Amino acid sequence: MPSTYTLISSNVLSSSAASVTFSAIPSTYTDLVLRWSSQSGGSSIYVTYNGDNSSSTNYSYTQLRGDGSAASSFRESSVYYQWLGSQPTSGSDFSSGELYIPNYTSTGGKPASGYVVREGNSASITYAQVATANLYRGASAISSITLTQLGGGNFVSGSFFYLYGIKNS
């Protein structure tokens, strides 16, 4: 079945911001796709849904990471967010990523898959690629998505974020 992508919202930062939120997400699509390219003063990017960052039982993730010389994996099962990947903290390097959320209107668990690629053009930045498998256990449909920095810091000016809805045609 072919799918149709529709841009729901975009945010291109003209100044630094501590977080980026997409709110009032309509329930008229089957899936969501979030794409971004960003740089920050924090070390990693993470996501929360519907402002839900108070229950450590609603999020879990597994990540696979490679940096050209080693591979690793990590799992968190009781956290307040879903970790998506590393961010460059200086220089001109950016991270690019995508988060795919199928069946986001489900009242049951909502799985998501993501990847982030961190550039390594600067001598102080190591290239890395991270893939994540995520699960959000909130009972409500996803109506807002917030991206924030783990460890503080801001997304820098020039970072951009696009949220798409997918409909099966």
Side-chain angles (χ1 to χ4, degrees), residues 20-148:
V20 173
T21 299
F22 293 95
S23 58
I25 297 170
S27 60
T28 55
Y29 301 98
T30 55
D31 306 336
L32 297 174
V33 173
L34 178 62
R35 293 182 175 152
W36 69 90
S37 182
S38 62
Q39 183 188 50
S40 74
S43 60
S44 298
I45 186 170
Y46 69 93
V47 65
T48 55
Y49 304 113
N50 300 340
D52 181 4
N53 59 358
S54 62
S55 173
S56 66
T57 61
N58 279 342
Y59 297 98
S60 61
Y61 65 86
T62 300
Q63 61 125 324
L64 302 173
R65 178 175 188 224
D67 65 8
S69 62
S72 62
S73 65
F74 186 74
R75 183 174 197 299
E76 288 279 354
S77 60
S78 295
V79 290
Y80 297 91
Y81 57 84
Q82 288 177 341
W83 186 80
L84 295 176
S86 300
Q87 293 281 112
T89 57
S90 63
S92 60
D93 295 325
F94 277 68
S95 287
S96 297
E98 178 177 289
L99 181 65
Y100 182 80
I101 309 166
N103 200 21
Y104 72 103
T105 60
S106 168
T107 57
K110 288 162 268 311
S113 60
Y115 71 88
V116 174
V117 176
R118 184 177 71 196
E119 295 178 1
N121 299 327
S122 302
S124 62
I125 302 294
T126 303
Y127 168 85
Q129 183 166 355
V130 177
T132 58
N134 306 299
L135 179 62
Y136 174 59
R137 294 179 193 85
S140 300
I142 294 173
S143 59
S144 72
I145 298 172
T146 300
L147 297 167
T148 311

